[in-house]
Amino acid sequence: MSAKTTSNIVVLLFMFLTASSSYIHEGNHEGNSKHYKPCKRLVLFFHNILYNGKNAANATSAIVGAPQWGNLTILTSQFHFGDLVVFDDPITLDNNLHSSPVGRARGQYIYDAKNTFSTWLGFSFVLNSTDYHGSINFIGANPYLVNFRYISVVGGTGDFFMHRGIAPIMTDAIEDQVYFRLRVDIKFYECW
């Protein structure tokens, strides 16, 4: 047998083993009825009040970057494309803005689509209450016209050290382009 024939056989054998092993992998097995349950779950609300040039005392977020045609007090037209907003929002256990905060949501969102309303989120929940201490870190796309969206929980500190999971989020309330409230249903699937 020639060296070329031997290498072809090795390549084919490798491809067969790779394909067969990925087919029988538990996650791809047909009829797999295994459902994962969260090891910890929290439902929190965060309240965002965007600075509009007149509400500096109440604002919890501000536009810090805008395209040339935009400005820093009003979201741009065209689906707000190009606006970068940073925030330091109160987190509550219920949907009342005036409830006692259990922490702060700190991070940024970037309006990243030219043809629909969508943002990319990167933020942390910094919790400091009698029940929880530490941070939970989130990252992902937020097509906010969709009723329920999912964002990745990529880690945490303190009571949430090395926690990972998923957080279905829902816009619970919106008022003009100044206020919105998100309901965040955090489901941890890795808890240390």
Side-chain angles (χ1 to χ4, degrees):
M1 217 173 358
S2 73
K4 185 174 183 178
T5 304
T6 304
S7 65
N8 286 342
I9 291 172
V10 169
V11 168
L12 287 174
L13 181 62
F14 176 75
M15 289 172 52
F16 172 75
L17 290 174
T18 303
S20 63
S21 67
S22 65
Y23 176 75
I24 61 173
H25 183 268
E26 181 180 356
N28 293 333
H29 189 270
E30 287 187 47
N32 179 11
S33 61
K34 189 172 188 175
H35 296 282
Y36 296 99
K37 294 185 179 175
C39 49
K40 191 183 291 184
R41 184 174 178 198
L42 292 169
V43 176
L44 299 169
F45 295 82
F46 81 87
H47 308 265
N48 186 277
I49 302 170
L50 184 63
Y51 174 69
N52 65 2
K54 302 173 188 166
N55 63 347
N58 295 337
T60 61
S61 64
I63 303 167
V64 296
Q68 278 187 326
W69 65 85
N71 67 56
L72 299 180
T73 57
I74 299 171
L75 292 168
T76 62
S77 57
Q78 300 176 333
F79 305 104
H80 313 315
F81 179 71
D83 284 336
L84 167 63
V85 179
V86 296
F87 59 89
D88 182 7
D89 297 337
I91 303 169
T92 60
L93 295 173
D94 61 19
N95 62 4
N96 186 344
L97 172 62
H98 303 291
S99 293
S100 295
V102 295
R104 306 294 291 185
R106 294 181 174 139
Q108 64 184 346
Y109 53 95
I110 302 167
Y111 287 92
D112 62 347
K114 292 175 87 172
N115 57 358
T116 188
F117 289 104
S118 178
T119 60
W120 180 88
L121 298 170
F123 65 97
S124 298
F125 278 3
V126 181
L127 302 173
N128 190 15
S129 70
T130 54
D131 294 326
Y132 297 108
H133 293 277
S135 66
I136 307 166
N137 304 310
F138 304 86
I139 195 167
N142 178 33
Y144 65 89
L145 294 179
V146 176
N147 193 24
F148 282 96
R149 306 73 86 189
Y150 297 88
I151 190 164
S152 299
V153 178
V154 296
T157 63
D159 292 339
F160 309 100
F161 176 74
M162 298 290 289
H163 282 35
R164 294 191 316 168
I166 193 97
I169 58 176
M170 179 183 100
T171 303
D172 192 53
I174 192 163
E175 294 176 20
D176 268 344
Q177 294 184 10
V178 176
Y179 173 79
F180 67 82
R181 178 178 60 235
L182 293 182
R183 179 184 187 273
V184 183
D185 183 4
I186 308 163
K187 298 175 183 178
F188 296 107
Y189 291 95
E190 286 185 19
C191 300
W192 287 65

